[in-house]
Amino acid sequence: LIVAAYFLQEVKNLDKIDIHEHIKDIGQAERVLKIMDDLHIEKMVLLGTPSLTFHEKTDKFEKYDEHNEKMLEIKEKYPDRFSVFVTINPEDKDAAKKLENYSIRGASGLKLYHGVIPSLGHINSSEMYEVYENCKELNLPVIIHVELLNATQMEEFRRVIEDFPDVKFNCPHLCGSATRLEILSKLLDSYPNLTTDMGPWHRVGKYAVNNTQQFREFFIKYQDRIMFATDIVLDETWESDSLVREWFECGINLLEKKYFTCYKEEGRILEGLNLPTEVLEKIYLINPTKFVENI
Ligand SMILES: [Zn+2]
């Protein structure tokens, strides 16, 4: 019966905005366009990304200016399909000026890596407060990596979202809360300027399929606060296009199906969230459009 249900249920092919992906260059973006068409991803938000995220052998936050430029070029060539969240290092003397220029040139928001690259420092440093102030003035939403299970990060971030109620924050991958969704619930209940996203598989999907009931209730309760993303890090090391496609399908199937398979969990039939259409429409389209006004 389970197997029959798995084969019968189709995805709904709803229009989607994907709020969080790392794409190395225009070659990889053009590769992903065909997959976006097939999966009804109308638009993808590309994040300015340091070289270490693309597995370059360094632990420093570097080569982000170059990557921002590459992403803005992609948006220029395909303005209907891609938007860009640039990244900056708040310790750069010209950080504020850079951000303003990026905004003028069409960047839709800012991505910060403070919770995942320790050398960048604290989430609530004075340099960071200047950046949040700039974002407020420029009306730029912020995607910032925060690990809620880290007590220091949690408290620093809580202060930031409290001190900047006019700045919209996406704390991605359910804020790193794994199965401790009650911690994220508290923040979402307290701060209306906070949203989250559901990528990547190893930070969200993997937990969701083993705690389906808990995650389904969470996604329904916070249907206005969660956005679609798969958080791929796409470069030439992905040899197979079909595997890239499957990566995105794992995320979509997780949201839509009652039973599905994903190559990340080989040999298993997984229990998905099987969310109602009106909830999917919010996660796929309505919430991202509210988060990024000039998407
Ligand atoms: Zn990411």
Side-chain angles (χ1 to χ4, degrees):
L1 184 67
I2 286 174
V3 174
Y6 160 63
F7 282 112
L8 282 174
Q9 193 182 8
E10 301 275 351
V11 290
K12 292 174 175 162
N13 290 329
L14 302 168
D15 288 350
K16 302 169 190 70
I17 294 174
D18 179 337
I19 203 71
H20 178 158
E21 306 295 341
H22 306 266
I23 304 284
K24 190 167 184 187
D25 53 32
I26 195 158
Q28 297 301 327
E30 287 176 342
R31 181 185 187 192
V32 93
L33 269 173
K34 168 83 181 76
I35 296 166
M36 288 168 65
D37 289 341
D38 288 349
L39 303 180
H40 296 258
I41 299 171
E42 305 303 312
K43 197 163 229 190
M44 180 179 283
V45 171
L46 305 174
L47 305 183
T49 303
S51 59
L52 72 85
T53 303
F54 290 109
H55 317 293
E56 199 166 286
K57 286 191 182 62
T58 176
D59 55 3
K60 292 198 189 79
F61 184 77
E62 55 192 10
K63 300 189 187 164
Y64 46 92
D65 289 336
E66 296 94 309
H67 193 259
N68 286 335
E69 290 302 327
K70 286 182 188 172
M71 297 304 101
L72 288 167
E73 271 168 40
I74 296 169
K75 180 191 154 86
E76 204 167 297
K77 187 162 176 194
Y78 302 101
D80 299 334
R81 306 308 301 279
F82 296 106
S83 290
V84 178
F85 273 45
V86 290
T87 190
I88 56 165
N89 186 343
E91 291 190 2
D92 289 350
K93 267 192 230 103
D94 54 350
K97 194 76 216 151
K98 267 189 202 172
L99 188 58
E100 193 186 345
N101 275 326
Y102 285 136
S103 169
I104 291 165
R105 292 172 58 204
S108 297
L110 174 66
K111 169 70 163 89
L112 294 165
Y113 291 82
H114 281 59
V116 69
I117 302 174
S119 64
L120 285 169
H122 292 278
I123 292 164
N124 63 341
S125 66
S126 56
E127 291 89 354
M128 289 290 272
Y129 263 57
E130 272 175 51
V131 169
Y132 303 132
E133 197 59 49
N134 295 332
C135 288
K136 182 180 152 186
E137 281 158 24
L138 298 166
N139 195 23
L140 294 176
V142 178
I143 301 179
I144 178 165
H145 186 117
V146 178
E147 299 288 345
L148 280 196
L149 300 184
N150 174 320
T152 311
Q153 285 193 27
M154 157 91 182
E155 180 51 23
E156 290 178 0
F157 184 54
R158 198 195 59 72
R159 285 192 207 174
V160 168
I161 50 180
E162 183 162 291
D163 289 342
F164 292 91
D166 299 331
V167 177
K168 285 177 272 182
F169 291 93
N170 168 18
C171 173
H173 357 106
L174 301 184
C175 266
S177 49
T179 56
R180 302 288 309 277
L181 298 178
E182 74 282 2
I183 302 178
L184 178 54
S185 294
K186 255 192 192 164
L187 275 194
L188 288 167
D189 291 343
S190 307
Y191 303 104
N193 55 332
L194 179 63
T195 55
T196 187
D197 75 41
M198 43 79 67
W201 184 266
H202 57 275
R203 300 302 309 272
V204 175
K206 153 181 125 168
Y207 298 109
V209 294
N210 291 316
N211 304 275
T212 307
Q213 180 69 12
Q214 181 200 6
F215 275 74
R216 188 170 196 274
E217 280 167 17
F218 183 87
F219 273 65
I220 289 172
K221 180 163 185 202
Y222 295 102
Q223 57 186 269
D224 297 306
R225 314 291 289 281
I226 303 170
M227 297 182 284
F228 171 66
T230 79
D231 200 4
I232 199 170
V233 176
L234 184 62
D235 61 15
E236 64 287 348
T237 62
W238 288 76
E239 283 169 21
S240 145
D241 285 350
S242 64
L243 204 61
V244 176
R245 187 194 161 106
E246 280 180 49
W247 169 278
F248 287 96
E249 284 176 329
C250 287
I252 293 168
N253 288 338
L254 168 68
L255 295 177
E256 296 197 27
K257 289 192 174 177
K258 181 134 180 72
Y259 299 103
F260 70 110
T261 58
C262 166
Y263 77 99
K264 304 285 281 179
E265 314 286 334
E266 233 183 291
R268 291 179 62 192
I269 291 179
L270 305 167
E271 208 179 331
L273 303 181
N274 193 28
L275 294 170
T277 302
E278 64 272 22
V279 174
L280 292 170
E281 283 169 345
K282 289 180 175 175
I283 292 171
Y284 283 147
L285 206 60
I286 297 169
N287 300 344
T289 313
K290 278 194 276 179
F291 181 64
V292 192
E293 280 159 39
N294 69 333
I295 193 96

